[in-house]
Amino acid sequence: MNDLKDTNLRTLYTPVQPTVRQSDGNVTYTEFLPELRLQSFIYCYWQLKTTRELSEPFNYRVVADGCMDVYFELTNPEHNYVMGFCKKFTEFPLANSFNYVGVRFLPTMFPQLFKINAMELSNRYESLASVVPHLSDFISNQFNETHHPEKIKKILDEYFLELISKTTFDNDSRLYDALEIILKNFGVIDIETDLDTGISSRQLRRLFEFYIGDTAKTFSKVVRFQNILRAKPSKQSLQQNKLFFDAGYYDQSHFIKEFKNFYGVTPSKAFGR
């Protein structure tokens, strides 16, 4: 195995998905960590499930987080999917009862592990069988509805540890230097002047599109949005402290418009204040 550059994206970036609020507590969303040796590649495993049958179908919103996910229904694991980088929120209409399991890869890691062009999966989800057949087959054959998080973690850990041991990574430091600049500056950068990592803007764009799924500019916007999510500002601080200026937005309307694009609702509604 060729190790990636020393930059550990995990120490620089914490992609947030909001907790589930609707349904009176009858839907739970849980994240759990992979084995330590996998944590530079996989941000988390997650489970979204009903604790009792709902009175009506459930609408699940996923906000833009810069990552790629593999996910499947634990009761029907042969139906498995991969979701690419998304530059806006996505809503999934689900049934009255469900039990989904997912793997959230840190930025660049899905293309690194599976040699897949991330751009081909951007802003959509695709049947995993048509993208990574061996992972799709593995999920189909290894999982069933009786599995608890400990068992799910064990099965996934073993698969990905073996995969990583056989994988040669593209160690292009120019890409990871650029990612480090973006993440350390919370996405508030000038793409033209701040990402001087020794290659042309055209080459940098090609690297970002292949490994991230979009341009450095779009990724930076998602990182900026995610940093605000993690800060959990109050409605008062949103209005009085001019958070949007600190985060590099022109004005409040620009901030609200971009936030709504990535989240699906306004900041004040998202933070419940």
Side-chain angles (χ1 to χ4, degrees):
M1 170 180 122
N2 270 352
D3 290 327
L4 281 167
K5 183 179 176 292
D6 290 339
T7 299
N8 184 346
L9 297 179
R10 177 179 213 90
T11 64
L12 298 174
Y13 190 48
T14 305
V16 174
Q17 284 297 329
T19 54
V20 176
R21 284 186 185 158
Q22 61 202 95
S23 81
D24 298 324
N26 295 325
V27 177
T28 62
Y29 171 77
T30 310
E31 294 180 354
F32 44 107
L33 286 174
E35 205 258 19
L36 186 62
R37 286 171 290 172
L38 293 171
Q39 290 179 20
S40 298
F41 309 91
I42 296 169
Y43 178 71
C44 70
Y45 304 137
W46 55 262
Q47 188 169 26
L48 175 76
K49 66 176 184 175
T50 48
T51 53
R52 57 182 292 179
E53 187 164 342
L54 307 178
S55 57
E56 55 188 30
F58 184 78
N59 198 44
Y60 182 56
R61 183 189 296 127
V62 177
V63 305
D65 64 7
C67 299
M68 296 178 68
D69 285 58
V70 164
Y71 63 96
F72 56 94
E73 171 78 80
L74 198 59
T75 55
N76 201 7
E78 60 270 22
H79 292 175
N80 44 65
Y81 305 90
V82 55
M83 185 170 182
F85 175 97
C86 290
K87 59 183 179 183
K88 66 173 294 183
F89 73 96
T90 309
E91 290 192 317
F92 291 91
L94 305 180
N96 301 55
S97 180
F98 50 83
N99 190 348
Y100 281 95
V101 168
V103 181
R104 181 162 303 127
F105 296 88
L106 283 161
T108 76
M109 295 308 167
F110 185 89
Q112 287 278 12
L113 289 168
F114 299 108
K115 313 307 178 192
I116 301 294
N117 184 343
M119 192 71 176
E120 294 176 2
L121 295 168
S122 289
N123 305 305
R124 65 192 182 94
Y125 62 91
E126 181 71 67
S127 169
L128 187 58
S130 66
V131 181
V132 190
H134 59 88
L135 177 54
S136 176
D137 290 343
F138 177 81
I139 290 170
S140 300
N141 295 323
Q142 293 295 321
F143 288 95
N144 65 65
E145 61 197 83
T146 68
H147 290 160
H148 295 289
E150 296 79 14
K151 180 69 171 176
I152 293 167
K153 170 181 154 56
K154 184 175 186 295
I155 294 170
L156 291 171
D157 278 353
E158 289 175 356
Y159 176 87
F160 286 113
L161 282 169
E162 183 179 2
L163 175 67
I164 284 169
S165 73
K166 298 175 179 176
T167 300
T168 300
F169 292 93
D170 177 2
N171 281 335
D172 198 322
S173 61
R174 300 169 303 180
L175 170 64
Y176 287 96
D177 286 346
L179 283 171
E180 189 170 345
I181 292 167
I182 291 169
L183 295 173
K184 283 186 172 178
N185 288 281
F186 310 111
V188 186
I189 64 165
D190 184 319
I191 299 296
E192 302 301 321
T193 59
D194 295 341
L195 292 187
D196 183 12
T197 60
I199 54 172
S200 69
S201 57
R202 179 183 291 181
Q203 286 176 298
L204 190 66
R205 184 185 185 102
R206 193 179 303 126
L207 284 171
F208 266 82
E209 287 180 346
F210 187 91
Y211 288 108
I212 295 288
D214 211 307
T215 63
K217 184 175 183 179
T218 301
F219 180 71
S220 296
K221 288 180 179 180
V222 171
V223 169
R224 176 170 64 175
F225 158 74
Q226 278 283 325
N227 188 53
I228 289 170
L229 267 194
R230 205 155 50 93
K232 296 181 180 176
S234 67
K235 186 175 181 180
Q236 187 177 25
S237 71
L238 284 170
Q239 292 173 337
Q240 294 182 358
N241 297 346
K242 302 295 184 282
L243 175 74
F244 44 87
F245 285 132
D246 295 339
Y249 294 96
Y250 309 125
D251 54 36
Q252 192 169 27
S253 62
H254 174 221
F255 165 58
I256 291 171
K257 181 180 178 182
E258 191 166 290
F259 188 97
K260 195 172 180 182
N261 178 64
F262 288 139
Y263 197 114
V265 297
T266 61
S268 57
K269 189 168 183 183
F271 297 115
R273 301 177 176 97

